[in-house]
Amino acid sequence: MPNFNSFQELLTYCQEHQCGVAEAALRYEEAYSGKQRAEILAGMEAILQQMRDTVTSGIHSTEKSMSGLTGGDARRIMDFMNQPQCFLSPVEMKMIAFGLATLEENSRMKRIVACPTAGGSGSVPAALIAVEQDKNVPPQQTLKGLITAGIIGEITARRMFLSGSAAGCQAEVGVASGMAAGGLVEMMGGTPEQVVHAAAISMQNLMGLVCDPVAGLVEVPCVVRNGLSGVQAAASATMALAGVKSFIPMDQVVEAMAAVGKLMHPSLKETAEGGLAQTPVAKAFTETFKGQQQAP
Amino acid sequence: MSGGSLFDIVGPIMVGPSSSHTAGAVRLANLARLVADQPIQEVEFVLYNSFAQTYQGHGTDRGLIAGILGYGVNDERIRDAFALAEAQGLHYTITPFLGANNYSPNTVVFNMRLQNGQMLTVVGHSIGGGKVYVSKIDGHNVNIRGEMPTLILFYKDQPGMIWQVTKILAEQQINIATLTCNRNQRGVEAFMIITLDSMPPAKAVAAIQGIPDIHTARCIDQLPA
């Protein structure tokens, strides 16, 4: 049974069996869960459809979050796409908008897909769905991208906990961007080596990212970080598809990220006791917010 | 850390904003509801540590109430949990405990009054990514994760109890995954937690309930994904 304890094992398997990463991931899931392939594919398709639905509702909504802190920026990005000052391409603009849309829906207590977590849920849909729309990619290819993203997250999760409280935002948005980057490469027909290089490139660029939510809410800076991480994943995927290789192998990137997570001070791990959460404006908001919560 | 399903990484489909604080709260309350095994009329949620600090902003309070009402992690009615509790006649109080304690970061103690008038206390923990476990039922140490069908038995501590229970399961071709026994006092009260590969038929549960000196026997299904 394929059981990938490292990215090297994954690559070796793909080479020996002459298959892509998504195929290897499917064989892994079949063996792990005992489920039939059709059931696995149907489950992944349902998840992908939820991601599309969240993105769609998110870019149309201008509703504020439960706390009033965020909401409406995804709509702003979509509206700006056709303005003369916009210097990003439509697909990049969609990546930003879809990442924001997903996290804004999350803050509104609407339905999202945790990927790998709720706080990092924007990257994968932002990258995959924006490219699917822009390049008219068949949905089966997007599905392969999502499955590839899943196995990248799964192998990473064997070395480190994927939560901001355990290892900072690098473990949420950082890992999500690595998953999205690898998923995009698979979706565009890249090789297994390119998939893994893309993930490594993306993850090393977000290494050390602290988790510093204002007032402890999954809103600031989480929403904008998710808007940016899809674009970063796409840039990493493009680099890998162009032939750029990560000098540091992916397995060592993950080890390094896990080590950085351990070194990170607790104030920078979701406690709202450091980073942006301790800026004057954040502290002022926190006071107001707590006052409102205690009111009858 | 060992391997897991791709669906643990890509998923669950859930209502935001936090997998441990919102989805975890829903699932924990779903599990407490299953353990209670009958309608809950009143519940006090005592929140500890991170749950006590941040429950409002993360919708932990709404999630707990929605979970007691039986809604799943992807149900958008979680937002409206306060109003739904009122409409359905569920009385609740939320008590953040801010002092020092030995509980894990996201812990809830459910003090529940059931329809039959009995009180039931369940201690549960949300451990990230929507994963949860129950560590105490009415003061007894247990470990119930809701990932497989689970048989919960309380009985008089005496020889042959495991044999009588497992014999009934074997006759029904129900495979046991894990079996944990412990007791509070020799010869007085013991408990058995058995996880199963499938739900036993109702007649098997009834047969186990019929074993002399079994005080409580209930089988709870796994939580939905």
Side-chain angles (χ1 to χ4, degrees):
Chain A
M1 130 177 194
N3 183 22
F4 308 118
N5 286 309
S6 67
F7 286 93
Q8 188 51 54
E9 272 184 35
L10 173 69
L11 290 176
T12 304
Y13 181 92
C14 290
Q15 193 176 13
E16 282 177 358
H17 294 81
Q18 288 295 299
C19 70
V21 174
E23 176 60 30
L26 278 170
R27 290 182 197 170
Y28 165 78
E29 184 67 19
E30 285 170 332
Y32 173 81
S33 66
K35 287 182 190 161
Q36 298 291 318
R37 177 165 298 218
E39 191 185 344
I40 297 167
L41 288 173
M44 282 287 163
E45 179 54 46
I47 282 172
L48 189 53
Q49 192 50 46
Q50 181 60 55
M51 288 176 162
R52 292 190 190 102
D53 292 346
T54 303
V55 160
T56 304
S57 57
I59 58 174
H60 288 103
S61 177
T62 51
E63 190 188 327
K64 286 281 182 186
S65 65
M66 306 292 281
S67 74
L69 194 53
T70 53
D73 284 342
R75 184 70 246 161
R76 280 185 192 95
I77 297 296
M78 291 303 285
D79 290 342
F80 193 68
M81 201 182 299
N82 298 316
Q83 295 297 313
Q85 309 100 305
C86 180
F87 48 75
L88 293 180
S89 69
V91 67
E92 290 161 326
M93 290 297 279
K94 280 188 179 177
M95 282 169 188
I96 299 173
F98 293 179
L100 293 174
T102 303
L103 260 282
E104 286 179 355
E105 286 290 272
N106 187 54
S107 304
R108 293 179 187 118
M109 292 191 83
K110 296 294 180 76
R111 218 173 270 147
I112 57 108
V113 177
C115 186
T117 62
S121 59
S123 306
V124 171
L128 268 49
I129 296 167
V131 170
E132 177 182 68
Q133 289 185 4
D134 190 71
K135 298 268 182 207
N136 285 318
V137 178
Q140 308 93 292
Q141 282 298 108
T142 318
L143 201 55
K144 282 171 78 173
L146 181 66
I147 292 162
T148 298
I151 195 73
I152 291 168
E154 164 52 29
I155 298 173
T156 304
R158 295 176 182 210
R159 316 270 183 78
M160 62 186 289
F161 286 110
L162 304 188
S163 74
S165 56
C169 195
Q170 58 169 6
E172 300 203 24
V173 169
V175 172
S177 78
M179 291 165 61
L184 276 182
V185 171
E186 176 81 8
M187 197 172 153
M188 303 312 289
T191 65
E193 286 76 15
Q194 288 172 328
V195 167
V196 174
H197 281 305
I201 290 167
S202 203
M203 270 174 59
Q204 57 194 276
N205 199 43
L206 288 175
M207 190 179 293
L209 185 60
V210 304
C211 182
D212 49 356
V214 169
L217 304 170
V218 192
E219 298 198 44
V220 175
C222 323
V223 175
V224 292
R225 277 184 191 159
N226 273 271
L228 288 163
S229 62
V231 184
Q232 136 123 5
S236 308
T238 308
M239 287 167 77
L241 285 165
V244 175
K245 293 176 179 170
S246 169
F247 178 73
I248 313 292
M250 179 62 172
D251 285 310
Q252 295 181 31
V253 173
V254 175
E255 290 295 340
M257 188 179 265
V260 168
K262 288 199 181 98
L263 288 169
M264 218 176 253
H265 191 267
S267 67
L268 304 174
K269 293 196 274 197
E270 212 189 339
T271 53
E273 289 167 354
L276 296 169
Q278 285 299 310
T279 53
V281 68
K283 288 204 275 194
F285 172 81
T286 306
E287 284 307 308
T288 316
F289 177 68
K290 281 191 175 160
Q292 284 167 356
Q293 297 288 329
Q294 276 152 12
Chain B
M1 281 164 265
S2 61
S5 166
L6 299 186
F7 292 96
D8 293 337
I9 299 293
V10 182
I13 296 173
M14 57 168 275
V15 164
S18 161
S19 47
S20 58
H21 287 70
T22 321
V26 173
R27 285 174 63 85
L28 203 46
N30 286 161
L31 196 50
R33 182 176 191 263
L34 288 177
V35 169
D37 199 34
Q38 61 167 304
I40 297 158
Q41 295 199 319
E42 190 173 350
V43 54
E44 179 192 26
F45 305 102
V46 188
L47 311 183
Y48 291 84
N49 303 320
S50 179
F51 266 0
Q53 300 280 357
T54 66
Y55 70 97
Q56 288 152 317
H58 286 112
T60 307
D61 43 6
R62 289 176 164 85
L64 289 169
I65 294 162
I68 291 289
L69 293 173
Y71 304 141
V73 293
N74 65 354
D75 197 318
E76 288 194 340
R77 289 177 295 180
I78 292 169
R79 262 167 69 109
D80 308 318
F82 299 138
L84 288 161
E86 192 172 330
Q88 299 192 29
L90 172 74
H91 299 278
Y92 63 88
T93 42
I94 293 162
T95 312
F97 182 90
L98 295 165
N101 61 82
N102 290 325
Y103 285 131
S104 65
N106 297 317
T107 295
V108 188
V109 174
F110 299 83
N111 293 315
M112 296 178 277
R113 187 165 58 78
L114 310 181
Q115 198 169 49
N116 65 2
Q118 276 186 344
M119 295 298 298
L120 178 71
T121 297
V122 167
V123 182
H125 315 270
S126 168
I127 54 173
K131 288 195 183 301
V132 299
Y133 73 99
V134 160
S135 68
K136 268 186 203 286
I137 299 173
D138 276 345
H140 306 301
N141 291 315
V142 297
N143 185 344
I144 299 171
R145 312 184 82 85
E147 290 172 350
M148 304 182 88
T150 304
L151 197 53
I152 303 166
L153 307 171
F154 289 89
Y155 52 94
K156 182 174 183 291
D157 184 40
Q158 59 186 306
M161 296 304 275
I162 296 172
W163 176 77
Q164 291 188 73
V165 172
T166 55
K167 180 168 165 286
I168 292 169
L169 293 171
E171 281 164 3
Q172 297 293 330
Q173 294 287 302
I174 303 290
N175 191 40
I176 292 175
T178 65
L179 190 155
T180 316
C181 284
N182 215 328
R183 61 184 174 195
N184 296 314
Q185 196 184 338
R186 187 184 235 183
V188 180
E189 192 178 43
F191 52 95
M192 205 183 315
I193 309 291
I194 308 176
T195 61
L196 305 165
D197 283 349
S198 54
M199 274 296 275
K203 63 175 179 180
V205 179
I208 291 168
Q209 281 165 340
I211 297 171
D213 291 327
I214 290 220
H215 313 143
T216 305
R218 60 179 76 112
C219 194
I220 64 173
D221 208 344
Q222 69 199 76
L223 294 173

